[in-house]
Amino acid sequence: MESVTGEEKSAGASVRAAQYVRMSTEHQKYSTENQAEIIARYAARKGFEIVQTYADEGKSGLRLDGRDALKRLIADVKAGLADFEAILVYDVSRWGRFQDADESAFYEFQCREAGITVHYCAEQFENDGSLSATIIKSMKRAMAGEYSRELSAKVFTGQCRLITLGFRQGGPAGFGLRRVLVDEHRQPKAVLNRGEQKSLQTDRVVLAPGPADEVEIVQRIYRMFVLQRRSEREIAILLNGDGVVTDLGRPWTRGVVHQVLTNEKYVGNNVYNRVSFKLKKTRVVNEPDHWVRADGAFEPIVDPDFFLAARRIVEERSRRFTNEELLERLNGLLVERGCLSGLIIDEVEDMPSSSTYRHRFGSLIRAYELVGYASRRDYRYLETNRALRALYPKIVDQTLDAIRGLGGAVRVDPATDLMTVNEEFTASLAIARCAPTPGGGRWKIRLDTSLRPDITIAARMNPDNATVRDWYLLPWIDLGESSKLRLAEENGVFLDAYRFDDLEPFFDLTRRFSLRAAA
């Protein structure tokens, strides 16, 4: 793009414009600051006044899902709420790397239909509707999508190579195992706790046996299943009765026991690509011949003979049923219970597991459809709740680490998760799920009236319910009479006075300082 020299503004009044910037993790040149700088120079030269910014940071351009700023921009345009006449974007790829170029064109068409033009500030063509601009723009859109496809293939190839070399590619270690950070010479550096990631590109992660007591419990699970012929449900009941919790600190279930009995990592095998989710398209369960594996990559904690025996039991149990028999049993369960869910299926002793239905029919919802069950429940809501339950202990651990890092003392009640900080005040954590509505997000925050914490830390989630939008520090003395709060985008000074972009104000309350004694 040519440099701006002298006064190049168009004559007359400036045109009100919004800028849209997006950054994934592709390259520093696409940082939102760099994009905004180029857009500002373009605006100055062309006579635009930037009055609003829509920014998606750390977001992939493959789909509209998760790109809250672009969705908000399109919604404002369609609703007639846009207080601008133009949209300025760095280039075609920042608008999106949609795999279908027509999808990118569709969102631009919606803006143009509302009388708002889209300008690509770093491109060598003017988006003026001319034949040449249309051809070049279409080619750029196709190239943006192709870039993502090529990058996905390269990343997948690299991940497969690391798997065959015996390195772990994401995911929790699992009960009885630990993730260990190793350097480029495979020398151990540290054990990675839950939520921790490697920071150096040359470092890798491998699996290693966990504490001896956990290893013994895993081996005990196999003995009970193979030798004593106990079911997964019986094993879960016995473990819970002994006070044993999973690696996530939760009670055992039939499904969790089943995972321990069927995952090859317990015999040291490194297996990858069992499920594909490439280019953020449909999640696909792959056949075994598409798996990438390295046998004997890690130190095993289960005897291979026990593992093979457990696999034979599981396979014999699932081979007994044809598709018709599976659906017949599912229909019988529906008649008996009146409803279906993964939990209901897994807790019935003589039923195949819910994972069997997922693998055989593609998803539980598809199996439900085949027996004529149309639940009114929103299964996306269930998936969101499952993700938030997994996120909760991570946020708790991060909060505890931050308090202790500042010199504070904190203890946690294992039954209630109530935090007592410096023996001075109590705090509890709540995660508020976002429920998107046409008028913006809605959130519900529950205050624990039984524990009566001095402060409730509420993490308000973004519409994707994967990242935290902001935080509310809610004092019991002001809000304790309410057991539930309902929040909107804007909530007035009474509630938004407790809103913060991060938890630094809370950590300031916990910070400890050394004071010199007076002479």
Side-chain angles (χ1 to χ4, degrees), residues 16-17 37 73 95 98 114 125 141 158 226 237 239 278 280 296 350 416 421 473 482 498 518:
R16 294 173 65 83
E37 180 181 347
L73 169 59
W95 189 250
F98 301 102
F125 66 89
R141 286 170 176 157
V226 174
I237 292 174
L239 293 176
K278 295 180 180 178
K280 297 188 179 296
D350 59 348
T416 64
V421 182
L473 301 181
S482 303
Y498 303 116

Side-chain angles (χ1 to χ4, degrees), residues 223-234:
R223 290 195 298 271
M224 288 191 290
F225 187 74
V226 174
L227 300 179
Q228 301 175 18
R229 293 291 177 152
R230 295 183 182 272
S231 67
E232 291 101 320
R233 182 172 179 271
E234 289 177 318

Side-chain angles (χ1 to χ4, degrees), residues 1 35 52 95 123 142 152 171 223 225 228 290 375 431 470:
M1 184 173 181
Q35 293 175 54
Q52 192 165 350
W95 189 250
E123 299 288 6
S152 175
R223 290 195 298 271
F225 187 74
Q228 301 175 18
H290 288 93
S375 174
I431 296 181
D470 51 26

Side-chain angles (χ1 to χ4, degrees), residues 33-232:
E33 293 82 3
N34 289 344
Q35 293 175 54
E37 180 181 347
I38 298 298
I39 291 173
R41 293 167 60 188
Y42 181 93
R45 187 172 68 254
K46 298 292 186 178
F48 291 107
E49 177 191 1
I50 299 176
V51 298
Q52 192 165 350
T53 297
Y54 297 84
D56 279 321
E57 298 193 21
K59 300 298 182 182
S60 167
L62 289 169
R63 297 170 58 181
L64 190 64
D65 294 347
R67 296 172 63 184
D68 300 330
L70 182 58
K71 288 196 287 187
R72 190 166 63 252
L73 169 59
I74 300 298
D76 288 348
V77 168
K78 292 172 64 177
L81 301 176
D83 187 24
F84 44 82
E85 304 168 53
I87 299 170
L88 308 183
V89 189
Y90 178 80
D91 65 9
V92 171
S93 72
R94 295 306 89 195
W95 189 250
R97 295 190 183 277
F98 301 102
Q99 296 304 290
D100 186 344
D102 291 340
E103 183 176 0
S104 179
F106 172 69
Y107 298 132
E108 182 181 326
F109 170 76
Q110 288 182 308
C111 298
R112 190 167 63 247
E113 191 177 39
I116 300 174
T117 57
V118 178
H119 298 259
Y120 300 108
C121 306
E123 299 288 6
Q124 299 302 314
F125 66 89
E126 288 293 336
N127 194 19
D128 54 8
S130 64
L131 178 61
S132 60
T134 301
I135 292 174
I136 295 173
K137 185 169 59 176
S138 298
M139 182 176 64
K140 289 271 189 176
R141 286 170 176 157
M143 290 171 60
E146 183 61 25
Y147 171 85
S148 293
R149 284 189 286 272
E150 291 180 355
L151 182 62
S152 175
K154 292 177 182 177
V155 170
F156 178 72
T157 301
Q159 290 174 326
C160 291
R161 178 178 175 275
L162 292 174
I163 287 294
T164 58
L165 291 175
F167 298 120
R168 180 78 170 172
Q169 291 295 297
F175 187 84
L177 297 169
R178 292 295 184 269
R179 294 181 303 139
V180 176
L181 189 68
V182 298
D183 61 20
E184 64 270 29
H185 304 297
R186 294 181 181 261
Q187 294 302 310
K189 295 179 66 175
V191 174
L192 293 176
N193 294 318
R194 190 171 62 203
E196 293 181 343
Q197 299 177 342
K198 72 183 188 73
S199 56
L200 297 180
Q201 189 172 4
T202 55
D203 287 347
R204 297 290 178 238
V205 177
V206 298
L207 291 183
D213 58 336
E214 289 190 19
V215 172
E216 168 56 27
I217 290 172
V218 171
Q219 295 171 350
R220 178 188 170 199
I221 289 173
Y222 275 84
R223 290 195 298 271
M224 288 191 290
F225 187 74
V226 174
L227 300 179
Q228 301 175 18
R229 293 291 177 152
R230 295 183 182 272
S231 67
E232 291 101 320

Side-chain angles (χ1 to χ4, degrees), residues 27 44 53 60 87 129 151 200 214 230 261 277 299 316 335 363 386 391 398 408 415 434 470 501:
H27 201 284
T53 297
S60 167
I87 299 170
L151 182 62
L200 297 180
E214 289 190 19
R230 295 183 182 272
L261 290 167
F277 190 45
E299 181 181 348
E316 288 170 2
V335 172
S363 69
R386 186 178 294 112
L391 179 63
Q398 292 169 0
C434 178
D470 51 26
D501 292 329

